[in-house]
Amino acid sequence: MNEEEASAAPVEQVANLHLDEVTGERVSKSKLKQRQKHREKEAKARDKAANAPPKPAVAKKIAVEDEESNLTPNQYFEIRSRNINKLRQSKTPNPYPHKFQVTTDLRKFLKEYESLGKGEHRKDVQVRVGGRVYVKRVSGSKLVFYDIRAEGVKVQVMCQSQESTSEVTFEDQHEHLRRGDIIGIVGYPGRTAPKKGGDGELSIFAQEVILLTPCLHQLPGEHYGFKDQEQRHRRRYLDLIMNDHTRNVFLTRSKMITYIRRWFDEKDFVEVETPMMNAIAGGATAKPFITHHNDLNMDLFMRVAPELYLKMLIVGGLERVYELGRQFRNEGIDLTHNPEFTTCEFYMAYADVYDVMDMTEDLVSGLVKHVTGSYITKFHTQSGEELTVNWERPWKRIEMIPALEKAVGEKFPPGDQLHTQETNDFLKGILKKVNVECTPPQTNARMLDKLVGDFIEDTCINPTFITGHPQMMSPLAKYHRDNPGLCERFEAFVCKKEIVNAYTELNDPFDQRLRFEEQARQKEQGDDEAQMIDENFCQSLEYGLPPTGGWGMGIDRLVMFLTDNYSIKEVLAFPFMKDDRQEKKTAAEVVGIKPQPEEGIREYQPHEK
């Protein structure tokens, strides 16, 4: 190539380039066209985005729900109360409908359709269930998942907009629903088919979801749960919502009571009800609650035991009676004592303490086997000690006085001298020797009871009968047929705690009055728990009480052992608690609702008399 040709080439190339007006560059024609097409495409995309409708409202609701999770409980309560009040006024939807027809038991649903295969549906089966929402998961505008619970079980609900058959839009069905709400679901059974593999989850594929009752409060988070012990006892309803263990305790309790009733009914016992308020606090050695009857202007005692009434029914010819009910004792509150508690007592004519001992083994051993499926149970004490208990019969039997003599290394006075002042001095010396303290009044009965507690009861892990009680400890028990000064009585202990107390009942009206008078003497000495003389009961014995065996068992304590709870508060639906005087706004106060005047009640005028 010559010099002229070489210099002409660059000029020719420049002449073939075109100006890109956006960047100011000179590029080839093909390159410029490529750039222009790309810019046109970007411009169209921007125009489309600018003219597009706003994002679906559900996306906004997701953000709202996320924000609600960051609110304090009070903030959530106030906002939610206002929102639900608006629904109360607009009725779109009515947040408190009158009725939703439930036709499906969720427990049966899970069993019946657990065999469904991955992706299999039963659209021919209609399911109608009600339950409480524990989890809500929103996946876009057309898919919502719920985890609901009912009857103690959980199921997933899958809601897809294309499956909805409701007249209410899909968005309107779900926008107001929150964790804790009670909802009704109409749908069909099926198993999901996850894209990432797995067997899928048995679910209800919802065709309609209805708000039945909103929860105005923020439920505790699933991770931390609801574990504060005092709050669980104060707000048992929330405890039951959040903790399956609590629910299972009360189901076990109900199962136990049903078994006990059936056991007595099958043996021809008659269940009866006796008064809760009495002019005399009799039937047990305990301090009573006092109430007042305004019309009669008299003080009454809440019953500490139904024993005297039940024995009067035996006198009247009801020869086998039992009562399951509440007792009230104005005594200390601790891990095993509550001011009101449940007992079962039975009385059987022509039975004695030995018959009753056999019946106790049969009833309780059978009950444990029925409830737990085994005779062996585990119990954990407050300190964490694990006790293994074998409830199978026969149970161990311990004679009280010989066991105490062995424990303290001293020979006790004869049984017929255990009530004397000399024995009182002897027992005070024993307490001092073994370094055991008995709070006043130091009656013979209280000091013996204290020694038994420290040296015998603490050895009773498996069910054990303690027998051979002194008469002065048992004012309603018949004297021992072989050992003067003792009576025919036993107490059954498990895990160091009493569960049963039983006697051959005292049916001698002469002896009974002497026993009551001894109790009256102990009350004069300052023993608030000693019994008073019940003249009506004494008179009933004069008509003739047949030889009778009597028995009482603490239901709450037995439930504690069979559910592995060391605190009685865990087995009472609503245990006694100290006053909690925290001022909290109600939902009505938050939204400004005022009380409505009631027909027939006029506003009080100061000048009226």
Side-chain angles (χ1 to χ4, degrees):
M1 183 184 289
N2 57 32
E3 288 185 13
E4 289 183 3
E5 289 175 338
S7 62
V11 174
E12 185 179 340
Q13 288 175 4
V14 171
N16 289 331
L17 297 178
H18 297 270
L19 178 66
D20 185 339
E21 296 179 350
V22 175
T23 64
E25 300 175 276
R26 298 188 72 82
V27 296
S28 66
K29 185 175 181 181
S30 61
K31 186 72 171 178
L32 180 61
K33 284 186 176 180
Q34 188 179 2
R35 288 186 178 185
Q36 286 171 338
K37 284 182 179 180
H38 182 69
R39 286 169 187 147
E40 286 176 6
K41 190 174 181 180
E42 285 184 336
K44 287 180 180 178
R46 285 194 298 272
D47 290 343
K48 185 177 180 181
N51 296 324
K55 289 184 179 181
V58 170
K60 184 177 180 182
K61 293 291 182 293
I62 298 171
V64 168
E65 288 171 359
D66 286 341
E67 289 174 6
E68 287 177 350
S69 67
N70 296 320
L71 296 174
T72 67
N74 284 339
Q75 290 171 332
Y76 182 94
F77 172 65
E78 292 191 8
I79 292 171
R80 181 79 161 137
S81 295
R82 292 190 184 99
N83 290 340
I84 295 302
N85 191 46
K86 289 176 184 176
L87 294 182
R88 290 176 65 244
Q89 295 167 347
S90 66
K91 304 294 185 188
T92 56
N94 177 6
Y96 299 101
H98 289 73
K99 173 71 176 174
F100 176 79
Q101 188 68 42
V102 172
T103 59
T104 307
D105 185 312
L106 213 50
R107 296 165 297 184
K108 294 179 181 177
F109 171 87
L110 293 175
K111 288 181 181 178
E112 187 172 352
Y113 298 106
E114 64 181 349
S115 60
L116 290 179
K118 179 179 177 179
E120 185 179 353
H121 299 148
R122 290 289 306 276
K123 292 191 176 184
D124 58 315
V125 176
Q126 186 185 72
V127 172
R128 296 180 67 92
V129 300
R132 188 180 294 274
V133 176
Y134 280 75
V135 177
K136 179 182 181 182
R137 302 183 299 278
V138 179
S139 300
S141 61
K142 297 184 178 181
L143 180 62
V144 181
F145 291 93
Y146 297 98
D147 287 345
I148 69 163
R149 288 179 184 264
E151 302 293 344
V153 296
K154 184 197 81 165
V155 73
Q156 176 177 269
V157 180
M158 185 174 182
C159 309
Q160 304 169 92
S161 62
Q162 68 267 27
E163 293 288 343
S164 177
T165 59
S166 172
E167 296 178 357
V168 181
T169 66
F170 187 79
E171 178 191 340
D172 288 343
Q173 284 183 67
H174 300 281
E175 68 171 333
H176 300 296
L177 304 184
R178 297 291 184 272
R179 282 187 71 227
D181 290 354
I182 297 171
I183 60 174
I185 300 109
V186 182
Y188 57 85
R191 191 174 289 277
T192 59
K195 294 178 181 177
K196 295 183 180 179
D199 297 330
E201 184 172 352
L202 177 60
S203 305
I204 298 172
F205 287 76
Q207 296 167 312
E208 184 176 14
V209 178
I210 302 165
L211 174 61
L212 301 180
T213 309
C215 176
L216 303 182
H217 290 274
Q218 195 176 46
L219 289 186
E222 285 191 295
H223 179 69
Y224 294 104
F226 186 51
K227 297 176 182 176
D228 182 282
Q229 200 170 64
E230 181 173 348
Q231 288 303 313
R232 284 178 46 245
H233 297 155
R234 288 190 184 281
R235 297 193 282 171
R236 186 64 86 190
Y237 47 89
L238 186 55
D239 184 23
L240 286 164
I241 289 172
M242 297 302 301
N243 298 311
D244 282 342
H245 170 73
T246 302
R247 175 189 177 87
N248 292 335
V249 167
F250 295 120
L251 292 180
T252 299
R253 183 188 179 103
S254 175
K255 192 175 181 181
M256 290 170 64
I257 291 173
T258 300
Y259 180 93
I260 292 168
R261 277 201 167 97
R262 185 169 65 247
W263 190 90
F264 282 113
D265 292 344
E266 288 174 354
K267 289 172 173 53
D268 293 328
F269 279 79
V270 177
E271 184 174 8
V272 296
E273 295 170 302
T274 59
M276 290 279 191
M277 296 184 295
N278 307 289
I280 296 289
T285 304
K287 187 175 181 178
F289 283 97
I290 302 173
T291 187
H292 187 77
H293 192 295
N294 290 333
D295 191 42
L296 298 177
N297 191 26
M298 65 181 291
D299 286 342
L300 295 171
F301 299 97
M302 302 298 291
R303 77 174 180 193
V304 294
E307 176 169 344
L308 304 187
Y309 284 108
L310 294 175
K311 285 194 279 194
M312 286 191 276
L313 293 175
I314 297 283
V315 171
L318 294 177
E319 294 173 351
R320 298 186 181 197
V321 294
Y322 77 98
E323 181 172 12
L324 271 158
R326 287 286 200 179
Q327 319 307 329
F328 307 87
R329 298 186 182 178
N330 196 356
E331 300 169 354
I333 300 173
D334 57 29
L335 290 174
T336 59
H337 293 88
N338 193 69
E340 53 178 312
F341 57 98
T342 303
T343 66
C344 177
E345 293 202 14
F346 82 78
Y347 293 84
M348 181 177 178
Y350 312 111
D352 66 9
V353 72
Y354 304 107
D355 298 316
V356 174
M357 211 177 284
D358 292 338
M359 293 170 73
T360 302
E361 289 178 331
D362 181 52
L363 167 60
V364 179
S365 295
L367 170 64
V368 173
K369 178 76 174 189
H370 173 74
V371 171
T372 69
S374 171
Y375 291 115
I376 308 297
T377 63
K378 302 284 188 183
F379 180 73
H380 294 84
T381 66
Q382 186 183 18
S383 63
E385 179 186 5
E386 181 179 271
L387 304 177
T388 300
V389 185
N390 184 355
W391 299 82
E392 194 168 8
R393 60 189 306 184
W395 295 358
K396 184 178 178 181
R397 304 184 183 195
I398 296 176
E399 286 283 336
M400 179 188 289
I401 299 301
L404 284 179
E405 289 176 338
K406 183 177 179 181
V408 303
E410 294 276 356
K411 181 70 176 174
F412 276 57
D416 58 1
Q417 299 299 313
L418 290 174
H419 66 286
T420 64
Q421 181 59 45
E422 289 77 10
T423 299
N424 187 276
D425 296 335
F426 169 81
L427 292 173
K428 287 177 180 176
I430 293 292
L431 290 174
K432 187 174 182 180
K433 173 185 174 181
V434 297
N435 199 27
V436 171
E437 184 178 348
C438 177
T439 57
Q442 291 186 333
T443 62
N444 296 15
R446 285 174 60 85
M447 287 189 284
L448 271 172
D449 192 52
K450 182 63 178 173
L451 289 169
V452 170
D454 280 28
F455 292 104
I456 302 180
E457 293 173 13
D458 278 356
T459 67
C460 302
I461 306 302
N462 288 335
T464 304
F465 294 121
I466 298 176
T467 64
H469 295 66
Q471 282 182 251
M472 47 80 180
M473 293 180 72
S474 314
L476 298 170
K478 197 176 185 75
Y479 63 87
H480 200 287
R481 63 193 78 177
D482 298 320
N483 297 313
L486 303 185
C487 62
E488 295 196 350
R489 173 188 178 188
F490 73 79
E491 293 176 291
F493 282 79
V494 179
C495 297
K496 310 177 187 180
K497 301 293 182 184
E498 178 197 341
I499 60 167
V500 172
N501 189 20
Y503 319 135
T504 299
E505 297 296 334
L506 179 60
N507 62 343
D508 179 343
F510 304 97
D511 194 358
Q512 180 65 81
R513 179 167 292 280
L514 292 175
R515 302 277 192 93
F516 275 152
E517 286 174 357
E518 168 62 19
Q519 286 279 300
R521 188 181 69 81
Q522 291 184 19
K523 186 172 278 293
E524 287 174 4
Q525 291 179 343
D527 188 350
D528 291 334
E529 297 181 352
Q531 298 186 44
M532 295 180 277
I533 299 174
D534 190 322
E535 294 292 350
N536 191 34
F537 173 68
C538 288
Q539 188 178 62
S540 74
L541 294 185
E542 294 167 2
Y543 283 85
L545 172 68
T548 297
W551 176 94
M553 180 171 72
I555 299 296
D556 309 308
R557 201 166 287 177
L558 193 59
V559 176
M560 289 168 61
F561 294 137
L562 297 192
T563 59
D564 193 9
N565 283 294
Y566 62 79
S567 172
I568 194 172
K569 285 184 168 69
E570 296 292 345
V571 302
L572 300 175
F574 299 99
F576 184 82
M577 304 290 291
K578 288 182 181 178
D579 238 355
D580 181 24
R581 298 184 179 277
Q582 294 182 15
E583 294 293 331
K584 295 179 181 178
K585 283 187 175 181
T586 65
E589 289 171 333
V590 166
V591 300
I593 294 178
K594 298 191 184 304
Q596 294 290 323
E598 191 70 27
E599 183 179 358
I601 300 177
R602 295 180 298 126
E603 186 176 346
Y604 173 73
Q605 300 296 328
H607 65 275
E608 291 183 347
K609 293 185 180 179

